[in-house]
Amino acid sequence: MAAGDMASTRLGAGRQHLRPLKRRGLVLLRLTAIVFAVLLFCEFLIYYLVIFRCSWPAVKTPADAGGLGTPEPVLRVMFLADSHLLGAVRGHWLDKLRREWQMERAFQTALWLLQPEVVFILGDIFDEGKWSSSQAWADDVGRFWKIFRHPPHVQLRAVAGNHDIGFHYQMNTYKIKRFEKVFNPERLFSWKGINFVMVNSVALEGDGCDICSGAEAELLEISHRLNCSREQEHRPQECGDGQRLPASAPILLQHFPLYRRNDANCSGEDAAPPDEKYTPFKERYDVLSQEASRKLLWWLRPRLVLSGHTHSACEVLHGAGVLEVSVPSFSWRNRNNPSFIMGSITPTEYALAKCYLPCEDTVLTTYCTAAGGLVLLTLVHAGLVASPFHFGWNMLRKFKTT
């Protein structure tokens, strides 16, 4: 055999040897691209696609009714509850990492798309604040500010929950001060002519303890200031010359819901499960006592109440038609379909809407489907399974020939 023929033979054999390697490289590239695309969708893009559908509710203003004068400013407020950031004791590290990533992506996406002016968190921000050490508390707070970071023009306020400072029998001054050092301790927050009263509902036990007595005295002082703002023309001597609040009925924010027997009358896809709806609520544990609820409604005369704690949604009318909205948990650890409340609020009116976050079932289904596709693609490339496309084409050809 000539030298030229031998060189050609060797070159052809080399090319044939390279073809399988090239095919394997292409398959590996395809698998990598699919994995990257699925991760990008499930861990990033899905939050934009879902939250993009949410919009601020329209609220009636005097200008809408044909009235004259300056239109009332509308405050855009986001209400969420029960994030339950895991601490050093409970929960697996992978569970902690997963849930915190989900909440961070959801919150940051909502901030970017919806542009709220104020964010209220209705208690149980942390899961282990009731017993965490100083170092563990500092670690939890650091992770909180990473997840719920926000620009300076956005106000973030929070009320304490039983997991933040403990139930009444666990609560003490040290835990309350520790919480208030992180979050503004003021109970009364006014902006754009709107009054928000933030209540430490854990302290409304009604047993006369020092913390409870102090909380009630503070609420009575707030009640006095609110009443003066409403009736300043009729009671000028009683109200004095201090700084006046806006003459607007307040919005009450707290962790424990006002008293209700159970969730039997709650409806919606994020209400309590049917087997839990009729379970009686325990006063001072699941809800406030009847006495404390009556005091809050009488002292503050709110136009709207928002609460958390139950992890499920509910709407209840109290007294003379005062609406209470129980905000579901913001964490996928507590719900398959977390959500938050969007409020368009003026000094006289309000409108609420709910914004659902991605369902965890959707994410898990996407991952399982992608994993099945990757396994099938690998088996087809290895020759262990016939390609579905070739199989379908062969079946079509056989059908035509017959």
Side-chain angles (χ1 to χ4, degrees):
M1 182 180 294
D5 293 338
M6 292 178 64
S8 299
T9 302
R10 290 173 182 173
L11 182 60
R15 289 175 178 175
Q16 290 179 357
H17 178 70
L18 288 175
R19 284 174 185 171
L21 294 178
K22 186 176 181 180
R23 285 198 299 269
R24 290 174 188 170
L26 288 175
V27 171
L28 183 61
L29 183 62
R30 289 174 185 171
L31 294 176
T32 303
I34 292 173
V35 170
F36 177 77
V38 172
L39 286 173
L40 181 65
F41 174 77
C42 290
E43 303 301 332
F44 193 80
L45 294 179
I46 192 171
Y47 297 96
Y48 288 89
L49 295 174
V50 173
I51 298 177
F52 181 77
R53 298 179 299 178
C54 302
S55 59
W56 292 100
V59 61
K60 293 181 180 180
T61 63
D64 298 330
L68 301 177
T70 305
E72 288 184 317
V74 178
L75 183 65
R76 292 182 170 182
V77 186
M78 181 173 158
F79 302 96
L80 57 96
D82 296 276
S83 52
H84 282 272
L85 270 66
L86 292 174
V89 179
R90 297 173 57 179
H92 191 272
W93 67 267
L94 183 59
D95 185 28
K96 181 189 300 186
L97 181 68
R98 175 67 180 156
R99 302 314 178 192
E100 291 181 5
W101 168 259
Q102 290 173 316
M103 286 189 283
E104 181 178 355
R105 290 304 341 132
F107 185 76
Q108 296 303 321
T109 303
L111 281 186
W112 190 80
L113 289 176
L114 302 175
Q115 300 289 310
E117 297 171 83
V118 186
V119 178
F120 288 107
I121 306 181
L122 305 179
D124 278 3
I125 299 167
F126 307 104
D127 194 63
E128 301 178 16
K130 56 188 177 181
W131 61 49
S132 60
S133 65
S134 298
Q135 183 58 52
W137 173 262
D139 293 341
D140 294 346
V141 169
R143 296 196 335 270
F144 168 84
W145 287 121
K146 176 181 179 296
I147 296 168
F148 294 97
R149 63 188 181 276
H150 54 280
H153 65 271
V154 177
Q155 295 271 351
L156 189 147
R157 307 282 170 141
V159 298
N162 55 287
H163 277 266
D164 300 315
I165 61 175
F167 278 106
H168 176 261
Y169 60 89
Q170 298 171 307
M171 172 184 65
N172 56 43
T173 303
Y174 169 75
K175 294 176 184 176
I176 294 175
K177 294 298 182 184
R178 183 172 70 174
F179 183 87
E180 291 178 345
K181 186 177 179 180
V182 178
F183 304 100
N184 199 309
E186 64 181 350
R187 298 281 178 256
L188 183 59
F189 171 64
S190 299
W191 200 9
K192 287 190 175 182
I194 304 162
N195 297 314
F196 296 93
V197 179
M198 295 172 285
V199 176
N200 178 5
S201 52
V202 182
L204 298 182
E205 186 78 8
D207 64 350
C209 74
D210 291 342
I211 295 176
C212 301
S213 298
E216 290 197 3
E218 195 173 14
L219 288 174
L220 283 171
E221 174 61 26
I222 292 173
S223 173
H224 176 71
R225 294 184 63 191
L226 289 170
N227 290 335
C228 285
S229 69
R230 293 163 173 162
E231 305 170 12
Q232 52 189 325
E233 296 181 1
H234 306 289
R235 302 165 57 188
Q237 295 180 348
E238 296 182 21
C239 296
D241 298 326
Q243 184 178 3
R244 300 290 172 83
L245 296 172
S248 172
I251 294 175
L252 180 59
L253 307 175
Q254 58 191 40
H255 181 62
F256 286 147
L258 297 175
Y259 175 79
R260 61 177 183 260
R261 291 183 178 180
N262 50 37
D263 274 351
N265 295 322
C266 306
S267 59
E269 59 184 288
D270 53 354
D275 59 333
E276 297 179 8
K277 278 189 173 185
Y278 297 92
T279 303
F281 282 149
K282 182 181 178 181
E283 295 184 45
R284 301 178 179 88
Y285 188 85
D286 299 308
V287 293
L288 288 178
S289 67
Q290 297 183 57
E291 179 186 4
S293 301
R294 284 194 297 266
K295 283 182 178 180
L296 287 175
L297 293 173
W298 175 251
W299 289 347
L300 303 174
R301 290 187 285 167
R303 54 178 166 142
L304 174 66
V305 182
L306 291 111
S307 59
H309 190 56
T310 65
H311 298 175
S312 300
C314 191
E315 293 186 4
V316 183
L317 288 177
H318 298 281
V322 178
L323 175 65
E324 178 183 7
V325 177
S326 289
V327 182
S329 174
F330 192 70
S331 173
W332 281 262
R333 195 168 187 260
N334 299 321
R335 297 200 59 82
N336 176 54
N337 57 342
S339 62
F340 58 87
I341 299 294
M342 304 164 60
S344 299
I345 305 173
T346 71
T348 57
E349 301 288 342
Y350 66 84
L352 304 178
K354 186 174 292 183
C355 183
Y356 286 97
L357 303 178
C359 287
E360 189 152 51
D361 285 351
T362 303
V363 175
L364 293 177
T365 300
T366 303
Y367 275 129
C368 291
T369 303
L374 290 173
V375 171
L376 180 62
L377 186 61
T378 304
L379 293 176
V380 169
H381 174 70
L384 300 178
V385 176
S387 171
F389 303 104
H390 293 162
F391 178 78
W393 175 250
N394 293 333
M395 292 293 294
L396 183 62
R397 290 176 58 188
K398 289 182 180 179
F399 179 77
K400 289 182 177 180
T401 54
T402 56

XYZ file of all heavy atoms in Angstrom, residues 195 223 225-234 245-250 298-303:
204
model
N -53.236 57.402 59.773
C -52.733 56.935 61.069
C -52.702 55.409 61.113
O -53.714 54.756 60.836
C -53.620 57.453 62.204
C -53.611 58.972 62.308
O -52.565 59.600 62.269
N -54.800 59.565 62.440
N -55.155 56.548 72.123
C -56.595 56.761 71.968
C -56.959 58.221 72.230
O -57.748 58.821 71.493
C -57.362 55.841 72.919
O -58.741 56.144 72.912
N -55.034 60.864 71.941
C -54.531 61.701 70.850
C -55.384 61.563 69.595
O -55.649 62.557 68.907
C -53.082 61.333 70.542
C -52.094 61.652 71.653
C -50.684 61.337 71.204
N -50.308 62.171 70.065
C -49.212 61.971 69.339
N -48.390 60.956 69.633
N -48.920 62.759 68.329
N -55.822 60.356 69.303
C -56.672 60.152 68.128
C -58.028 60.836 68.307
O -58.556 61.459 67.374
C -56.863 58.653 67.881
C -55.640 57.884 67.367
C -55.912 56.385 67.402
C -55.284 58.316 65.946
N -58.592 60.714 69.499
C -59.886 61.363 69.758
C -59.765 62.881 69.651
O -60.670 63.556 69.149
C -60.413 60.964 71.135
C -60.855 59.512 71.189
O -61.214 58.931 70.156
N -60.826 58.924 72.366
N -58.664 63.427 70.125
C -58.456 64.868 70.018
C -58.351 65.305 68.557
O -58.834 66.374 68.185
C -57.192 65.276 70.770
S -57.390 65.272 72.572
N -57.703 64.475 67.736
C -57.583 64.838 66.324
C -58.943 64.838 65.630
O -59.172 65.612 64.701
C -56.641 63.869 65.612
O -57.214 62.578 65.506
N -59.841 63.966 66.088
C -61.166 63.910 65.480
C -62.087 65.010 66.006
O -62.956 65.486 65.278
C -61.810 62.553 65.777
C -61.123 61.363 65.113
C -61.578 60.092 65.792
N -61.107 58.898 65.110
C -61.064 57.692 65.654
N -61.462 57.516 66.905
N -60.637 56.660 64.969
N -61.897 65.390 67.281
C -62.855 66.296 67.921
C -62.163 67.556 68.438
O -62.578 68.135 69.437
C -63.537 65.567 69.083
C -64.204 64.265 68.668
C -64.662 63.446 69.862
O -64.663 63.998 70.979
O -65.015 62.273 69.674
N -61.109 67.989 67.764
C -60.345 69.119 68.262
C -61.155 70.409 68.283
O -60.888 71.310 69.080
C -59.081 69.302 67.424
C -59.313 69.371 65.927
C -58.005 69.343 65.153
O -57.023 69.892 65.602
N -58.002 68.701 64.003
N -62.153 70.521 67.417
C -62.962 71.737 67.412
C -63.921 71.787 68.601
O -64.294 72.871 69.057
C -63.754 71.838 66.101
C -62.867 71.983 64.867
C -63.697 72.103 63.601
O -64.952 72.083 63.718
O -63.108 72.223 62.520
N -64.331 70.606 69.093
C -65.320 70.554 70.177
C -64.684 70.422 71.559
O -65.336 70.699 72.561
C -66.272 69.370 69.945
C -66.915 69.383 68.581
N -67.877 70.294 68.228
C -66.703 68.601 67.488
C -68.262 70.065 66.968
N -67.548 69.040 66.505
N -52.644 65.029 65.482
C -52.581 63.957 64.492
C -53.548 64.254 63.364
O -54.480 65.045 63.515
C -52.942 62.621 65.135
C -52.014 62.096 66.226
C -52.624 60.875 66.885
C -50.653 61.758 65.642
N -53.376 63.625 62.214
C -54.373 63.765 61.152
C -55.745 63.287 61.636
O -55.839 62.304 62.393
C -53.836 62.863 60.038
C -52.376 62.739 60.306
C -52.227 62.796 61.786
N -56.787 63.972 61.222
C -58.151 63.620 61.655
C -58.672 62.462 60.825
O -59.655 62.572 60.088
C -59.059 64.831 61.533
N -58.023 61.337 60.951
C -58.361 60.152 60.156
C -58.480 58.952 61.082
O -57.628 58.748 61.958
C -57.276 59.900 59.102
O -57.474 58.675 58.436
N -59.532 58.147 60.919
C -59.682 56.928 61.712
C -58.484 56.020 61.445
O -58.066 55.846 60.297
C -60.980 56.221 61.359
N -57.896 55.429 62.488
C -56.647 54.685 62.309
C -56.855 53.320 61.668
O -57.959 52.776 61.622
C -56.138 54.540 63.743
C -57.385 54.483 64.565
C -58.339 55.437 63.898
N -62.981 49.762 71.017
C -63.588 50.898 71.699
C -62.598 52.060 71.834
O -62.926 53.214 71.583
C -64.087 50.467 73.069
C -64.620 51.600 73.901
C -64.052 52.156 75.003
C -65.841 52.321 73.688
N -64.817 53.169 75.495
C -65.937 53.295 74.694
C -66.860 52.234 72.735
C -66.997 54.186 74.787
C -67.919 53.116 72.820
C -67.986 54.071 73.836
N -61.380 51.752 72.236
C -60.389 52.812 72.442
C -59.957 53.473 71.136
O -59.837 54.692 71.066
C -59.148 52.238 73.124
C -59.341 51.849 74.554
C -60.396 52.167 75.366
C -58.456 51.037 75.341
N -60.228 51.613 76.612
C -59.041 50.920 76.631
C -57.243 50.417 75.104
C -58.443 50.190 77.652
C -56.629 49.699 76.108
C -57.229 49.585 77.379
N -59.695 52.658 70.119
C -59.062 53.187 68.909
C -60.046 53.476 67.778
O -59.723 54.241 66.869
C -57.992 52.196 68.418
C -56.905 51.873 69.447
C -55.988 50.778 68.925
C -56.093 53.117 69.783
N -61.209 52.832 67.802
C -62.224 53.014 66.753
C -61.599 52.951 65.346
O -61.685 53.888 64.557
C -62.961 54.330 66.948
C -63.874 54.344 68.163
C -64.708 55.595 68.204
N -63.940 56.754 68.623
C -64.375 58.011 68.511
N -65.564 58.260 67.994
N -63.619 59.022 68.912
N -60.939 51.837 65.034
C -60.250 51.739 63.738
C -61.238 51.569 62.585
O -62.366 51.121 62.767
C -59.393 50.486 63.910
C -60.176 49.638 64.861
C -60.816 50.598 65.820
N -60.803 51.924 61.405
C -61.613 51.678 60.202
C -61.209 50.376 59.504
O -61.931 49.859 58.653
C -61.470 52.843 59.221
C -60.028 53.193 58.855
C -60.019 54.326 57.854
N -58.694 54.912 57.710
C -58.203 55.329 56.539
N -58.930 55.209 55.431
N -57.015 55.872 56.478
